[in-house]
Amino acid sequence: MKYIILVLLYLTTSIVLGQNPIERPEKKNDSLSLGKKTKPINPKEKMENDSITLTIEDYKIISFERDTTYLDTTLTIQKEYKYNYLREDDFELMPFGNIGQAYNELGVNFERVGSYPSLGALAKDRKYLEREQVKYYNVATPMTELFFKTTLEEGQLLDANLAFNTSRRLNFSIGYIGFRSLGKYNDTQIESGNFTTTTNYISKNGRYTLRAHIAAQNIESEENGGLSDREEQFESGDEDFINRPRVDVLLDDANNKILGKRYYLDHQYKLVRTQLDSTRFEKTALSIGHSFEYETKYYQFLESSNDTLFGDAILSEIDDKAILKTFYNEANIQFYNKTLGKLVGGVNMYNYDYYFNSVFIEEDGTVIPNRLNGTEIGLVGDYEKRIGGFDFKADLRYNLSGELAGNVFNASASYSLNKNNKIKFSLHTSTRLPNFNYLLYQSEYLNYNWNNSEVFEKERASSLKGELFSKTWGNLMVKYSNLDNYTYFAPVSDEEIADGMDNAFIKPLQEGNTVSHLKVKYQKEFKVGMFALNNTVMYQNVTQDSQVLNVPQLVTRNTLYFSSDVFKKAMYLQTGVTFKYFTAYNMNGYNPVLGEFYVQNKEELGGYPLLDFFINARIQQTRIYLKAEHFNSSFSGYDYYAAPNYPYRDFVIRFGLVWNFFS
């Protein structure tokens, strides 16, 4: 069904757009020549007159925070870093062998985006689009983006998105991400589908605005439990096992799944507004707003027959399913004054229902319930103001009633020293209970049943961050974080745990002492003629009484590349080599039953180089990518693990493109 949707989306795009691609954008402003040139007009005329010169600025992309950017069809090294399954820079991540399988963290971030716990299974849901990741569009003419990239063995990755409007005030988008990768090792096939449709509207008089989206997503993974004999069949480099399907794995009948549906609406109405000033901004405005979100999501682990890898089981066939349904409503009042700034205040209500389909009774008669539900009521507040050269922002989420949430407070101040240098300081504090799968879980496996809803205390996180953005000196970020009641998964047993048996004794734990984390990250690019060296270096240090947070001390990525126009400027070419390295550390283990990583302190992994060679090109609005990934795998030693027992991928050549259409 999902491939039929992709075909229909492509055909619809072709019919709407016809065969008239836009001309190549100018480098200076990335303008689009879609209509005849006319004299400049004001925004109101622009909305009512189609016979105008269109530029790239007429194709707007709007974030959840209402920050507006424009379509970018250029080819940069940052685009190379983001050309992957997640479509984000994965510098602080270590991917598993198959694409989309899981991502171990090389760097950690404890800043909370939301006030409430999530379902869990964090190792599996990185491609699950949260509401903050959905983009909205305001386009002058229909615009399509097609993203394609090959995967491992059978499968492909295709991300198709069409944005269009019925008028300049009413815009829509429809997108689908279809993905499948068989993988090199047995029983690691991954499939996912992400369907989203959005709309945003502004009334003719500008008083009423609306945005909404619907998202339906699923991620399915086969789980092989890792290698069963890694020393002989992987680390030795034996040529008989270079053909990876010959390598023995621990599981051949297990898989897990995440599925979710979400409906989101956010609209506002201006009760009071004044005339625009000379800068075309209102001097004073008063608005009322309302947002609504309903989401159902579940995580499921299936196994045709139980395995001793995870301990004893109640039934032979394993079918564990955790379900979370949430309902969120928020009403607010927004006041804006050119002198006082922007102030938002409101109240929200959050209803949750997290449950399993059975009740578990332990041998001592203790009953583990199958449901956590309730209603939370809280206050919201936001403030923005520019004073002199400083931009101040602050937001507060404070819980009035309920057990899950506490508060989330963010504040930042930024200042532009000059056109080339900017500094920013940020503060974050938050308290809330850990994710639901830490609080309550039920499984056919006996050791995977617990109820900590009345035992665990709220996690408290606080951080202070300073940033320097400089075109001359590079970008520097220093962040110091403190964590209290840090919650994590780890193997627990009264007996000594044998090698490979960690997964049989996994439990959620909470650290009573404070854990401190320091992160320093520096980015700088050096250019000489057509050559450039792009560098990103991160240093981390953890202060803790017990070893519960493991991260590498140093992570570096260095890219040496060449850029130039070729073929009489018909093509823009980039080619180079990327080197990535992180120091050895006690890398977190992976648990297939929970879809989570756990803390292990038995062995250090890492300390190996990853080398990629790439050739990228841009022809008009098409960016073409070709990469030889990890080409040093055959001569640098077979010790490149992404987690204990889970190797990173071998040398592979992958290619793809990103193509924008305009009518």
Side-chain angles (χ1 to χ4, degrees), residues 64-326:
F64 178 80
E65 294 81 11
R66 302 184 186 277
D67 295 327
T68 300
T69 57
Y70 308 112
L71 177 67
D72 185 1
T73 60
T74 60
L75 180 63
T76 64
I77 192 63
Q78 285 72 31
K79 295 286 186 69
E80 158 65 22
Y81 294 151
K82 294 181 180 181
Y83 187 69
N84 52 47
Y85 172 66
L86 298 177
R87 301 200 69 174
E88 65 181 47
D89 190 344
D90 59 359
F91 170 73
E92 297 187 18
L93 299 175
M94 183 60 199
F96 274 36
N98 198 6
I99 301 155
Q101 185 177 359
Y103 294 83
N104 219 332
E105 291 187 328
L106 302 179
V108 291
N109 180 19
F110 299 103
E111 297 179 356
R112 307 294 190 185
V113 177
S115 304
Y116 306 103
S118 67
L119 175 65
L122 298 185
K124 307 302 299 184
D125 76 339
R126 284 195 175 271
K127 194 57 178 177
Y128 189 90
L129 300 177
E130 303 294 344
R131 67 174 182 176
E132 293 83 8
Q133 298 174 280
V134 175
K135 305 296 184 182
Y136 302 87
Y137 297 85
N138 187 314
V139 294
T141 61
M143 176 190 75
T144 299
E145 181 174 273
L146 293 179
F147 173 106
F148 170 80
K149 191 171 187 179
T150 57
T151 58
L152 300 183
E153 300 300 329
E154 300 175 11
Q156 65 284 311
L157 170 60
L158 178 62
D159 183 349
N161 188 82
L162 169 65
F164 59 96
N165 60 25
T166 58
S167 72
R168 292 304 300 272
R169 295 184 298 273
L170 180 59
N171 289 260
F172 300 90
S173 75
I174 181 171
Y176 185 79
I177 306 172
F179 168 75
R180 179 173 178 264
S181 180
L182 181 63
K184 297 290 186 179
Y185 294 87
N186 290 325
D187 301 293
T188 59
Q189 178 175 283
I190 316 295
E191 294 184 10
S192 67
N194 306 72
F195 171 81
T196 56
T197 179
T198 74
T199 183
N200 58 296
Y201 169 76
I202 180 171
S203 63
K204 190 171 184 179
N205 60 11
R207 286 185 178 269
Y208 181 73
T209 59
L210 175 148
R211 62 177 180 175
H213 77 254
I214 298 174
Q217 308 175 75
N218 70 284
I219 304 169
E220 300 183 32
S221 307
E222 290 184 346
E223 297 290 346
N224 66 11
L227 309 185
S228 62
D229 188 359
R230 70 184 198 183
E231 290 84 2
E232 179 180 348
Q233 298 184 1
F234 176 70
E235 295 177 2
S236 66
D238 191 331
E239 292 185 359
D240 291 338
F241 297 101
I242 296 299
N243 184 14
R244 296 309 185 189
R246 296 180 178 178
V247 177
D248 295 326
V249 294
L250 294 171
L251 302 174
D252 61 4
D253 61 348
N255 62 81
N256 52 30
K257 177 192 300 186
I258 291 178
L259 187 146
K261 296 180 181 179
R262 180 174 60 250
Y263 307 89
Y264 176 77
L265 169 68
D266 181 8
H267 53 150
Q268 299 175 2
Y269 182 77
K270 289 185 178 180
L271 298 172
V272 177
R273 59 182 299 189
T274 59
Q275 296 296 324
L276 302 181
D277 60 16
S278 59
T279 60
R280 306 205 59 79
F281 283 97
E282 294 172 338
K283 294 181 180 180
T284 303
L286 179 64
S287 307
I288 57 173
H290 170 251
S291 62
F292 159 86
E293 180 184 45
Y294 175 72
E295 183 172 30
T296 62
K297 185 178 181 181
Y298 74 75
Y299 170 77
Q300 187 175 25
F301 176 78
L302 297 166
E303 196 174 10
S304 59
S305 61
N306 66 295
D307 194 282
T308 56
L309 180 67
F310 308 111
D312 297 330
I314 303 171
L315 299 175
S316 176
E317 185 176 353
I318 309 300
D319 184 358
D320 302 337
K321 188 175 183 180
I323 305 168
L324 176 62
K325 296 182 178 181
T326 60

Side-chain angles (χ1 to χ4, degrees), residues 326-374:
T326 60
F327 182 89
Y328 180 85
N329 258 302
E330 178 184 319
N332 57 60
I333 298 177
Q334 304 181 27
F335 174 77
Y336 170 78
N337 181 269
K338 188 176 181 181
T339 303
L340 300 177
K342 178 182 177 182
L343 179 64
V344 180
V347 61
N348 62 37
M349 181 182 70
Y350 176 80
N351 180 270
Y352 63 94
D353 189 10
Y354 171 75
Y355 62 94
F356 297 82
N357 292 323
S358 61
V359 176
F360 181 79
I361 302 177
E362 296 187 12
E363 293 182 356
D364 60 1
T366 303
V367 177
I368 295 180
N370 67 334
R371 187 181 298 266
L372 295 175
N373 57 9

Side-chain angles (χ1 to χ4, degrees), residues 409-428:
F409 176 72
N410 295 289
S412 66
S414 59
Y415 179 76
S416 296
L417 302 172
N418 49 50
K419 65 179 182 179
N420 293 326
N421 299 281
K422 179 181 178 180
I423 57 174
K424 182 178 181 180
F425 296 96
S426 304
L427 172 68
H428 170 86

